[in-house]
Amino acid sequence: MKKILVVYYSYEGHTEHVAYVIAQELSADVLQIKPIKEMSTKGFGKYLWGGSQVYMKKIPKLEPISVDFSKYDTIFVGSPIWAWSLTPPIKSFILNDYLIDKDLYFFYTHEGGPGKVEKSFKIMVEKKNRFLGTCGFIPPKNNFDLINQQVYDWLNLLNIEK
Ligand SMILES: Cc1cc2nc3c(=O)[nH]c(=O)nc-3n(C[C@H](O)[C@H](O)[C@H](O)COP(=O)(O)O)c2cc1C
């Protein structure tokens, strides 16, 4: 039987939380994307470092991925928003061509300024996949429980077979 996979990158845990709520609800497997070189600050410097990675259009090398993507026909991809854009690790993941002929859903967490990230994601994946839905979440800082209901509501709308 084909299964569902939730792929995500998360620097501070918010996108990771959403990924795990989705995975639990849909009995899906989870894959965390990790760049080989991760930034080390959680202070203001993260905006400078992360933002500069976006502006310089960096495509970072990722830690090895050993998932057999042929096992999955439905894949959720999750990213935080950095500088109104997809994060560089998620761009790397997409450009690596793991996603071919999949039913794709995109989710993201942000603080109110997602930019045109839904359109960017769609453009990057739609030639080789079916792009079926997207949702953004603004997680209250350090109150992960509050986001759960929004995730449940989105999944109910999608009506995905478990
Ligand atoms: C480098 C950097 C840039 C960011 N740029 C934006 C932005 O342009 N718009 C926005 O709404 N939030 C922005 N944020 C906030 C994050 O998108 C938000 O806190 C997100 O939930 C973090 O996800 P994570 O905890 O999974 O890393 C930025 C955060 C970082 C670290």
Side-chain angles (χ1 to χ4, degrees):
M1 198 180 79
K2 294 271 185 175
K3 294 177 70 183
I4 301 172
L5 178 68
V6 181
V7 180
Y8 73 95
Y9 168 73
S10 179
Y11 182 60
E12 293 184 297
H14 300 87
T15 314
E16 178 169 65
H17 177 81
V18 173
Y20 273 89
V21 176
I22 294 171
Q24 195 172 28
E25 282 301 291
L26 300 179
S27 306
D29 293 339
V30 176
L31 168 65
Q32 181 181 17
I33 298 299
K34 289 186 186 167
I36 287 174
K37 195 175 156 201
E38 183 60 288
M39 62 176 162
S40 54
T41 173
K42 304 267 177 185
F44 186 73
K46 71 186 178 189
Y47 294 106
L48 299 176
W49 193 90
S52 68
Q53 299 296 296
V54 172
Y55 286 120
M56 290 190 290
K57 300 190 191 305
K58 290 279 184 191
I59 304 297
K61 285 209 168 79
L62 304 178
E63 287 191 2
I65 293 173
S66 55
V67 165
D68 175 6
F69 285 87
S70 68
K71 284 190 346 198
Y72 305 95
D73 51 8
T74 300
I75 300 186
F76 285 72
V77 180
S79 175
I81 301 301
W82 283 5
W84 306 279
S85 306
L86 292 169
T87 45
I90 284 296
K91 280 189 202 155
S92 286
F93 171 72
I94 295 170
L95 292 171
N96 267 297
D97 262 356
Y98 295 109
L99 303 176
I100 294 177
D101 198 25
K102 305 295 182 193
D103 287 349
L104 288 188
Y105 297 90
F106 172 53
F107 64 96
Y108 54 97
T109 69
H110 63 110
E111 291 174 356
K116 295 181 179 163
V117 77
E118 295 186 353
K119 194 174 169 194
S120 311
F121 182 87
K122 183 168 181 274
I123 289 169
M124 286 186 82
V125 300
E126 70 181 349
K127 278 195 188 128
K128 298 177 183 170
N129 301 275
R130 294 165 295 282
F131 176 61
L132 299 182
T134 177
C135 194
F137 302 94
I138 305 181
K141 286 292 165 206
N142 301 321
N143 191 344
F144 294 105
D145 288 342
L146 283 177
I147 207 72
N148 295 4
Q149 190 57 48
Q150 291 177 38
V151 180
Y152 302 146
D153 290 347
W154 182 46
L155 295 178
N156 281 338
L157 280 177
L158 298 180
N159 203 16
I160 291 173
E161 213 179 296
K162 294 183 201 175

